[in-house]
Amino acid sequence: MTPNLTYIVVVGVLFAAGVTLLLERSLTRVLMGVILLGNGANLLLLTGGRAGGPPIVGTSDADEMSDPLPQAMVLTAIVITLGMTAFLLALSYRSWHLNGHDEVQDDVEDRRIMDLADRDEGPGTDDADQSDSDDQLDGDGRPDPDSQRPSAASVAATAGGRGRDA
């Protein structure tokens, strides 16, 4: 059985709209994107099955039975989509209570990476901060915890020569 062209177009539209909505900042739109992607996946799975009689042995010939696997996979996909929807609804509700909106904020590291990409530099070629801290990295490229601790002289200088009790 060949799938109907209408099904293929609808699956494509559902996936395109779902991905577009997933890329938005609002959790409500992300939720709608997940729902559209779930429905598109369900329709895609159903187009892979064969129409026919009920898949019960003894009611019809084996050649005339429908394929039960896509139906079982669609039921599983419905449960997964429902779980993701419930999680995103809870996340959106919590964000609305805490912030008064459901917009996802930029992370500090995200902004730094975007700035590097705008300057067309890789993560290994950071500005002066990276060159100054190269000697403070251990063998794995992570900051050396011992080099982050201030020396006793610098602690005394910043304390203004005061003792421990000050």
Side-chain angles (χ1 to χ4, degrees):
M1 178 183 137
T2 59
N4 192 350
L5 183 62
T6 307
Y7 285 144
I8 296 172
V9 170
V10 170
V11 167
V13 168
L14 285 173
F15 272 103
V19 168
T20 303
L21 287 173
L22 276 178
L23 296 175
E24 294 291 328
R25 289 278 187 195
S26 172
L27 285 176
T28 306
R29 291 184 182 179
V30 170
L31 172 68
M32 294 303 296
V34 166
I35 291 171
L36 286 178
L37 275 176
N39 288 333
N42 293 342
L43 193 56
L44 180 67
L45 288 172
L46 279 180
T47 58
R50 180 179 61 193
I56 301 171
V57 177
T59 59
S60 61
D61 292 336
D63 296 337
E64 296 175 3
M65 287 185 195
S66 65
D67 190 8
L69 184 62
Q71 297 170 13
M73 290 178 70
V74 166
L75 286 175
T76 304
I78 288 171
V79 171
I80 291 171
T81 303
L82 181 66
M84 285 294 297
T85 302
F87 173 71
L88 286 173
L89 274 173
L91 196 64
S92 180
Y93 180 74
R94 182 71 176 159
S95 175
W96 184 265
H97 260 304
L98 290 177
N99 302 327
H101 58 80
D102 66 343
E103 297 287 323
V104 177
Q105 300 295 322
D106 272 342
D107 193 26
V108 175
E109 185 69 14
D110 289 341
R111 288 184 193 261
R112 188 183 72 82
I113 291 172
M114 287 187 331
D115 289 341
L116 287 174
D118 287 343
R119 290 188 304 215
D120 207 21
E121 295 178 2
T125 57
D126 205 357
D127 37 351
D129 297 336
Q130 182 70 24
S131 62
D132 292 340
S133 63
D134 281 344
D135 56 341
Q136 298 177 357
L137 298 178
D138 63 2
D140 294 335
R142 287 183 247 146
D144 188 16
D146 295 331
S147 66
Q148 302 295 325
R149 295 186 192 135
S151 64
S154 65
V155 170
T158 57
R162 295 178 286 184
R164 286 187 188 181
D165 298 328

